[in-house]
């Protein structure tokens, strides 16, 4: 056992030396083919034992080469790292292959909720619900499970949990950062100006409760029977 340990160390050192002798661009391509998330320039430089400046230059050259050649994929800088993406020009072919006729997309409610979080982050669930006008607890759980939003501390005034979008959100949207979001925020109401900043401020819906309109009609009919038309009209307005 003691004789094998020095041998493994020597092999590791030899492997590191071999990495430094590899052509940089093909080495970057090989690594980026197997990453699960965007790889940072710092990490790639460490793995390949190269200066970060050299890695950054090679990545940009590769990205320009793919674009000039009209390849079916692109190399993009997204969410602070580099990763291969399919070219938008061939999105129809990719979508048909991946989905195979099934639409695995977020619901309209989930998209609306995600948009509110993206533009108002960090934001509590109650404020998201206030902006949308409906309870968003279930939708927020879905977004959390899919890794699109995450917890971001608590609100000092109320202690409510705050939420923000994740790097995975940026990756899926093809954005380098939140500053690249479309100019949509001016069209959303300010959260502070919306009533119901807590769950208590939201209307509570009970499916078994009687319809208020039915109560009004009952009072109206009772007024007509007992007090005449004028009295009944006065009852429904009160």
């Amino acid at each position: 056992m003691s004789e094998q340990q020095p041998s493994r160390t020597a092999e590791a050192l030899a492997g590191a030396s071999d990495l430094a002798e590899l052509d940089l661009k093909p080495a970057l391509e090989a690594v980026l083919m197997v990453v699960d998330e965007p790889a940072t320039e710092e990490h790639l430089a460490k793995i390949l034992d190269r200066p970060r400046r050299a890695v950054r230059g090679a990545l940009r050259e590769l990205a320009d080469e793919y674009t000039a050649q009209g390849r079916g994929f692109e190399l993009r800088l997204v969410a602070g790292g580099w990763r291969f993406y399919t070219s938008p020009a061939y999105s129809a072919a990719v979508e048909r292959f991946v989905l195979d006729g099934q639409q695995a997309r977020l619901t309209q409610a989930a998209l609306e909720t995600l948009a509110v979080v993206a533009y108002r982050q960090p934001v509590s669930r109650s404020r998201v619900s206030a902006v949308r006008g409906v309870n968003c607890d279930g939708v927020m759980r879905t977004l959390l499970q899919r890794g699109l939003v995450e917890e971001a501390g608590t609100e000092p005034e109320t202690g409510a949990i705050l939420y923000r979008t994740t790097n995975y959100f940026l990756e899926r949207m093809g954005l380098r950062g939140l500053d690249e979001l479309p100019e949509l925020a001016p069209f959303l109401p300010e959260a502070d100006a919306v009533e119901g900043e807590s769950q208590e401020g939201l209307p509570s819906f009970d499916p078994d409760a009687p319809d208020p309109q039915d109560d009004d009609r009952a009072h109206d009919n009772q007024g007509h029977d007992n007090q005449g038309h004028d009295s009944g009209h006065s009852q429904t307005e009160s």
Side-chain angles (χ1 to χ4, degrees), residues 120 127 130-131 188-197:
R120 294 301 182 201
R127 292 200 174 199
V131 172
L188 291 176
E190 290 294 338
D192 292 337
V194 179
E195 294 183 359
E197 293 184 356

Side-chain angles (χ1 to χ4, degrees), residues 51-144:
R52 182 173 177 177
R53 179 178 299 179
V55 169
R56 181 188 302 115
L59 288 167
R60 291 178 177 175
E61 289 178 8
L62 284 172
D64 292 340
E65 290 174 8
Y66 299 146
T67 301
Q69 295 169 4
R71 306 296 292 270
F73 58 89
E74 300 174 347
L75 181 57
R76 302 181 197 165
L77 176 60
V78 172
W82 293 83
R83 188 178 182 181
F84 284 121
Y85 291 85
T86 56
S87 173
Y90 301 97
S91 60
V94 175
E95 182 176 4
R96 183 168 185 177
F97 174 78
V98 174
L99 300 181
D100 192 21
Q102 298 180 358
Q103 301 299 320
R105 298 177 180 176
L106 291 174
T107 64
Q108 183 67 26
L111 289 173
E112 292 175 2
T113 301
L114 184 58
V116 175
V117 175
Y119 284 102
R120 294 301 182 201
Q121 61 185 303
V123 63
S124 65
R125 283 189 295 182
S126 60
R127 292 200 174 199
V128 174
S129 297
V131 172
R132 293 199 59 232
V134 295
N135 190 295
C136 297
D137 288 356
V139 178
M140 287 295 291
R141 282 193 293 269
T142 297
L143 296 176
L144 283 166

Side-chain angles (χ1 to χ4, degrees), residues 19-24 44-46 48-52 54-55:
L19 284 175
E21 296 176 0
L22 293 174
D23 289 339
L24 181 54
L44 292 171
K46 178 181 178 181
L48 298 177
D49 196 21
R50 302 295 179 88
R52 182 173 177 177
V55 169

Side-chain angles (χ1 to χ4, degrees), residues 112-207:
E112 292 175 2
T113 301
L114 184 58
V116 175
V117 175
Y119 284 102
R120 294 301 182 201
Q121 61 185 303
V123 63
S124 65
R125 283 189 295 182
S126 60
R127 292 200 174 199
V128 174
S129 297
V131 172
R132 293 199 59 232
V134 295
N135 190 295
C136 297
D137 288 356
V139 178
M140 287 295 291
R141 282 193 293 269
T142 297
L143 296 176
L144 283 166
Q145 291 171 356
R146 295 201 179 189
L148 295 169
V149 301
E150 63 184 1
E151 294 184 2
T154 58
E155 195 172 50
E157 297 82 2
T158 64
I161 298 176
L162 299 176
Y163 297 89
R164 65 189 176 195
T165 53
T166 61
N167 281 338
Y168 180 63
F169 165 79
L170 295 176
E171 178 186 341
R172 299 299 296 174
M173 294 294 292
L175 303 173
R176 292 184 178 90
L178 294 175
D179 57 337
E180 291 190 355
L181 282 169
E183 292 293 333
L184 182 63
F187 298 99
L188 291 176
E190 290 294 338
D192 292 337
V194 179
E195 294 183 359
E197 293 184 356
S198 66
Q199 289 294 349
E200 290 76 15
L202 292 174
S204 177
F205 299 99
D206 183 358

Side-chain angles (χ1 to χ4, degrees), residues 215-235:
D215 292 340
D216 289 341
R217 295 192 190 99
H219 286 302
D220 189 25
N221 291 335
Q222 183 178 3
H224 276 293
D225 293 340
N226 298 334
Q227 302 176 11
H229 176 73
D230 293 338
S231 176
H233 182 66
S234 175
Q235 170 117 11

